Amino acid sequence: MKKKKKYNMLWGNLLFLGPSTLVFLAVVVIPFAISIIYSFSNWNGISNEIKFVGLNNFNNIFSGKAKFLDAFWFTLRITAVSVLLINLLGILLAVALTARLPLRNPFRAAFYLPQTMGGLILGFIWQFIFIAGFPAIGDKLNLGFFTQQWLGTEKTAFAALVIVNVWQNAGYVMVIMIAALSGISSELIESAKVDGSRPLNTFLRIKLPLCVPYITVSLFWTISSALKMFETNVSLTKGGPYGSTTSMALNIYNDAFANNKYGLATAEALVFFVIILAITSVQLYMSKRKESQIL
Amino acid sequence: MKRTKGRVTMLCVSLAGVLALTACGGQAGEGQNSQTGSSESAKTKTIYIYQNKIEIDKALKKTAEAYTALHPDIQFSIESVSDNFSTGLKTKLASGELPDVFTVNGNQVLKLWQSQLEDLTDQPWTKDMIPLAKEGITGDDGKVYGLPVSVEGYGYVYNKKLFQQAGISKVPVTLTELKQDVESLKSAGIQPLVGAYMDWYQAGNFLVNMGIARQKDPLAFIKGLYDGTATFVGNEIFKEVADFIQYDFANGKNGLSTSFNNQTTQLVNGEIAMTLGGNWLQPTIDNGNASLETGLMPLPVNDNPEENDKLYAGVSGYWAINKDSDVKEEVKDFFNWLVTTPEGQIHMTKDMQIIPGFSSFSADNEAIGDLGADLSRYLKEGKVYGSYNSYYPDGADQAFGEAVQRFVAGQVDKDGFLQELQNEWDRLTE
């Protein structure tokens, strides 16, 4: 009797877990394993000859020969700046749009809208704005700020990417934070008011700490998506000028498909994976600790 | 213990499932192939062409229809892609759907794909290929692997009307003349130059090629670069070219934020007098502003008229046949028809408006427009430098383009620029 039950459970498990396990194996585990094998080779992505070169690819990556470190440094900088701005702006928007404002809902929709567009299209639209739109405004109003070559210099191209990133993603954080803020019990806020707490004080001392779990989610999402930045990068700057805005993902793409260094690219992808894993784990660990301290 | 056993069983079953799935996939695929081969009165065969000259897409489809009318058992499936062509091709290779015919650029790219290509040396048309076209698609083993699609050339594309307005009667063939003309254009209130330096493409491909092509023996120079006996650093010809690049950039407007689209728009709208470009711009000009009169002129880097009155030309791509294709004999027949029969030749010159890489027939001057006619004239007079991009290591065009960007942005000086070209070459040939 007992044995039969066990038998049934096996089939039940297979029925429910089998298909997804299969898919997971086929599209995640197996390709991942294959790419680890390729990362030790000098395969060009096409030919039938594959030569194994040991740790050569990794050597090239860490000795700075492969440009990966430049891309890593750029990605790190842009992640730091845009994550900070996205979350600050997202929280500010959420605070503003949970207040009793006229046209509150249309505003929420408007700020969320960029999130629903694809990064590639956004990039192309903004490329037009930076190349043609801004100079036109600058000429009319005689403002040098707008007429500069936005995508032509290292610093402004960096700023342009940050602007587009923040504009695209702040809405998402806003939605999460609106959910957080409206989930706070009004009794708490009211009792704070009765105790004489000012609005700013209430926000910093009561609302924000209660939102920490949501901030953890937002941070995790913004950090990992900023580290993986690719489409806006490709369509807005193509990594230019002179390769100064090449993100890690774009660099891997270039090595795999333009430079025909497939082996090197898979090695870079592995390093990329480890970097993202490390950064997001540290962030999650720290935020969770913060959460347990506060709540 | 029992639990682990259960897990192991499950894993085995899942794995078996994966195998079964892939096996099914394989069978289904094979079934499909045999179907396309045998269905429809057991005769019709489809030739799948994947090529990167997007501007001839329509004409090529028309040509294919004409061929199907002559040979009802042959059908075509034509896909033209310009951006990310090679990425797409690799994806198709990886998924086991390598097209029957696809574009291969010469030399380095040929080496990359050679193991997948059908040897075409015995085809009747190979003896008619012009040397410029033949050398690019001949492998190290001396075999010919593709059919040259079109000869393309570049220089400055200039606006004839604006030249007239500035009182310029003949195109400059020395640097001093160019500088004078630029000044007269400026004083007539016309923007003389614009360069698309935002994209690395033109800088990396066309500008750097000038330095290579102007060497006494370009192929020997490239060979020297590969084995370390030649270098960009301190090369006098490259120094001249670097000065030219700087001049071109300085007399342009917002070069580093001008994209190819931007540049073309300004040319077509008649806002600029000269810009780097080639005969491939003709269809865009015809579509955008048919009344615009343009011409192709040299890019002078010094004051020797003989050295400078030349354009740069090369074969932009070859059609190669997948050696594992089921229809390769049919494709060979099609190629033969295309370049050896008058009817096929007319399709190439009139419909596709190309300058053929063959000595057996020549371009249709009316079809190829002003730019093509100028190029064709220079070709006939033998006043062309070659295009050597396809000899570079993979990725060099982008790396070179970025070096040019850094140079014109003032990040590096002339010597630094040449050093950088050398560094990138060394890095990519590792």
Side-chain angles (χ1 to χ4, degrees):
Chain A
M1 187 64 207
K2 206 183 168 193
K3 211 170 184 186
K4 196 166 180 207
K5 203 178 162 199
K6 194 100 190 180
Y7 182 72
N8 277 341
M9 260 190 49
L10 173 67
W11 283 110
N13 284 345
L14 264 184
L15 181 65
F16 286 106
L17 294 176
S20 53
T21 313
L22 278 186
V23 173
F24 184 70
L25 274 175
V27 304
V28 178
V29 178
I30 294 175
F32 190 76
I34 293 175
S35 77
I36 291 179
I37 297 172
Y38 281 139
S39 70
F40 296 106
S41 77
N42 69 349
W43 190 40
N44 63 14
I46 296 166
S47 95
N48 299 327
E49 283 172 38
I50 300 178
K51 211 174 93 195
F52 285 92
V53 291
L55 290 172
N56 217 351
N57 288 328
F58 294 95
N59 225 343
N60 285 344
I61 291 172
F62 292 113
S63 64
K65 229 177 203 167
K67 289 205 172 178
F68 184 78
L69 291 183
D70 297 342
F72 172 56
W73 176 229
F74 164 76
T75 312
L76 219 54
R77 280 185 299 150
I78 199 152
T79 302
V81 176
S82 51
V83 164
L84 194 72
L85 291 178
I86 289 170
N87 285 289
L88 276 182
L89 188 66
I91 292 173
L92 280 179
L93 284 175
V95 171
L97 295 176
T98 43
R100 285 170 206 281
L101 281 179
L103 294 177
R104 198 169 69 171
N105 284 333
F107 270 119
R108 285 183 185 180
F111 285 115
Y112 185 70
L113 208 57
Q115 184 63 38
T116 60
M117 284 189 251
L120 263 184
I121 297 165
L122 276 186
F124 284 125
I125 295 172
W126 274 91
Q127 193 186 55
F128 175 78
I129 294 176
F130 282 122
I131 291 180
F134 274 20
I137 296 173
D139 283 341
K140 288 262 152 53
L141 303 177
N142 214 357
L143 288 173
F145 175 74
F146 283 111
T147 50
Q148 57 184 321
Q149 298 190 47
W150 275 90
L151 302 177
T153 69
E154 216 168 311
K155 279 190 186 129
T156 47
F158 184 90
L161 274 171
V162 171
I163 291 172
V164 176
N165 248 336
V166 171
W167 179 74
Q168 183 188 8
N169 295 324
Y172 196 79
V173 173
M174 174 196 77
V175 167
I176 296 177
M177 293 310 293
I178 285 177
L181 288 172
S182 42
I184 296 171
S185 149
S186 55
E187 289 166 19
L188 260 174
I189 309 297
E190 222 155 277
S191 57
K193 217 185 235 169
V194 171
D195 284 343
S197 165
R198 291 212 208 115
L200 185 66
N201 212 24
T202 315
F203 177 72
L204 289 177
R205 293 287 166 84
I206 296 174
K207 285 184 180 170
L208 214 50
L210 284 171
C211 291
V212 165
Y214 294 85
I215 294 175
T216 308
V217 173
S218 302
L219 272 179
F220 174 76
W221 180 78
T222 46
I223 289 178
S224 71
S225 68
L227 286 173
K228 289 187 284 195
M229 180 174 73
F230 179 73
E231 314 101 277
T232 23
N233 201 196
V234 150
S235 56
L236 188 65
T237 65
K238 291 198 188 108
Y242 41 87
S244 63
T245 60
T246 309
S247 67
M248 283 192 285
L250 183 58
N251 177 63
I252 292 170
Y253 174 85
N254 281 341
D255 273 335
F257 292 110
N259 302 349
N260 291 325
K261 291 182 188 284
Y262 200 89
L264 176 66
T266 44
E268 286 173 342
L270 269 184
V271 177
F272 178 53
F273 166 76
V274 172
I275 289 173
I276 292 190
L277 190 70
I279 293 179
T280 47
S281 315
V282 168
Q283 180 261 325
L284 271 185
Y285 172 76
M286 302 224 309
S287 322
K288 288 275 181 215
R289 210 175 55 176
K290 193 91 192 160
E291 266 172 48
S292 54
Q293 272 171 8
I294 294 175
L295 301 176
Chain B
M1 186 59 210
K2 262 203 166 151
R3 254 184 91 141
T4 39
K5 202 171 169 191
R7 277 189 186 163
V8 171
T9 332
M10 203 174 88
L11 194 72
C12 289
V13 173
S14 322
L15 272 175
V18 171
L19 290 176
L21 266 181
T22 46
C24 284
Q27 266 167 11
E30 276 162 33
Q32 227 173 18
N33 274 344
S34 59
Q35 213 173 33
T36 45
S38 64
S39 71
E40 293 177 37
S41 75
K43 265 187 153 184
T44 313
K45 294 186 170 175
T46 303
I47 298 176
Y48 176 22
I49 299 179
Y50 181 65
Q51 63 100 22
N52 71 353
K53 236 172 116 56
I54 189 101
E55 61 272 25
I56 63 167
D57 181 60
K58 255 192 205 154
L60 183 60
K61 282 177 180 152
K62 194 179 148 198
T63 310
E65 268 169 35
Y67 189 76
T68 305
L70 293 171
H71 305 263
D73 54 332
I74 307 289
Q75 297 280 338
F76 289 87
S77 158
I78 293 167
E79 197 181 333
S80 307
V81 174
S82 74
D83 275 358
N84 298 321
F85 170 82
S86 60
T87 311
L89 190 57
K90 279 177 209 172
T91 321
K92 285 177 198 294
L93 172 74
S95 58
E97 290 166 358
L98 196 63
D100 301 312
V101 178
F102 52 90
T103 308
V104 169
N105 298 322
N107 304 304
Q108 284 303 112
V109 185
L110 170 65
K111 280 189 189 132
L112 203 61
W113 288 95
Q114 199 166 329
S115 59
Q116 316 280 349
L117 302 181
E118 175 79 359
D119 171 18
L120 300 175
T121 320
D122 57 348
Q123 295 301 301
W125 40 262
T126 51
K127 63 174 177 7
D128 298 330
M129 283 162 75
I130 59 174
L132 188 78
K134 203 167 188 171
E135 67 183 21
I137 198 68
T138 307
D140 291 335
D141 51 6
K143 291 176 181 164
V144 175
Y145 286 96
L147 177 137
V149 181
S150 171
V151 176
E152 294 191 328
Y154 68 92
Y156 273 140
V157 174
Y158 69 99
N159 181 325
K160 287 182 178 162
K161 210 172 101 197
L162 294 183
F163 264 43
Q164 259 170 20
Q165 274 177 25
I168 302 165
S169 51
K170 76 179 252 304
V171 297
V173 293
T174 65
L175 186 60
T176 314
E177 282 175 25
L178 176 71
K179 285 181 176 169
Q180 283 164 359
D181 291 347
V182 165
E183 290 313 314
S184 26
L185 283 163
K186 272 186 192 161
S187 53
I190 298 164
Q191 175 66 35
L193 285 161
V194 149
Y197 286 91
M198 187 180 138
D199 305 329
W200 52 262
Y201 189 85
Q202 293 184 19
N205 284 304
F206 306 142
L207 292 176
V208 174
N209 175 59
M210 290 170 64
I212 304 241
R214 298 178 73 98
Q215 303 289 332
K216 254 205 193 96
D217 183 348
L219 287 179
F221 181 72
I222 290 170
K223 205 166 158 279
L225 287 172
Y226 272 110
D227 58 30
T229 53
T231 167
F232 293 98
V233 182
N235 185 298
E236 290 304 320
I237 294 167
F238 259 101
K239 280 186 184 168
E240 278 177 353
V241 170
D243 287 335
F244 171 80
I245 292 173
Q246 214 158 33
Y247 180 79
D248 176 73
F249 180 77
N251 289 282
K253 206 174 84 183
N254 295 346
L256 277 169
S257 55
T258 302
S259 65
F260 172 64
N261 279 342
N262 230 228
Q263 173 199 27
T264 317
T265 314
Q266 293 184 53
L267 174 74
V268 170
N269 291 342
E271 292 164 15
I272 46 172
M274 289 178 273
T275 191
L276 191 70
N279 58 319
W280 54 85
L281 286 171
Q282 192 69 51
T284 318
I285 294 172
D286 291 345
N287 284 334
N289 182 359
S291 62
L292 187 77
E293 281 182 51
T294 52
L296 208 52
M297 62 171 246
L299 307 162
V301 306
N302 61 36
D303 282 339
N304 179 344
E306 251 167 62
E307 266 179 38
N308 288 298
D309 191 15
K310 288 184 176 183
L311 297 176
Y312 297 81
V315 171
S316 53
Y318 300 84
W319 284 338
I321 304 179
N322 169 8
K323 76 169 168 23
D324 300 322
S325 159
D326 297 333
V327 293
K328 60 187 180 190
E329 294 310 318
E330 284 77 6
V331 177
K332 284 179 188 171
D333 290 342
F334 171 62
F335 279 4
N336 258 328
W337 173 81
L338 199 58
V339 297
T340 60
T341 68
E343 200 189 348
Q345 290 171 351
I346 285 175
H347 278 293
M348 286 200 70
T349 52
K350 264 213 158 52
D351 292 338
M352 298 184 217
Q353 307 181 348
I354 61 174
I355 300 175
F358 294 93
S359 51
S360 47
F361 62 110
S362 54
D364 182 312
N365 265 347
E366 213 162 288
I368 57 179
D370 296 337
L371 299 178
D374 276 348
L375 174 64
S376 187
R377 185 162 53 79
Y378 272 89
L379 274 171
K380 261 189 205 130
E381 293 169 12
K383 295 197 289 190
V384 285
Y385 287 114
S387 283
Y388 296 91
N389 321 356
S390 60
Y391 291 88
Y392 304 165
D394 297 322
D397 42 3
Q398 179 168 0
F400 286 170
E402 286 171 0
V404 172
Q405 287 174 333
R406 217 166 290 155
F407 174 51
V408 295
Q411 300 273 317
V412 290
D413 61 4
K414 194 158 71 182
D415 293 330
F417 166 57
L418 298 184
Q419 184 63 52
E420 200 144 310
L421 291 181
Q422 187 62 40
N423 293 348
E424 293 297 330
W425 183 285
D426 294 342
R427 181 175 70 85
L428 291 162
T429 46
E430 271 273 300

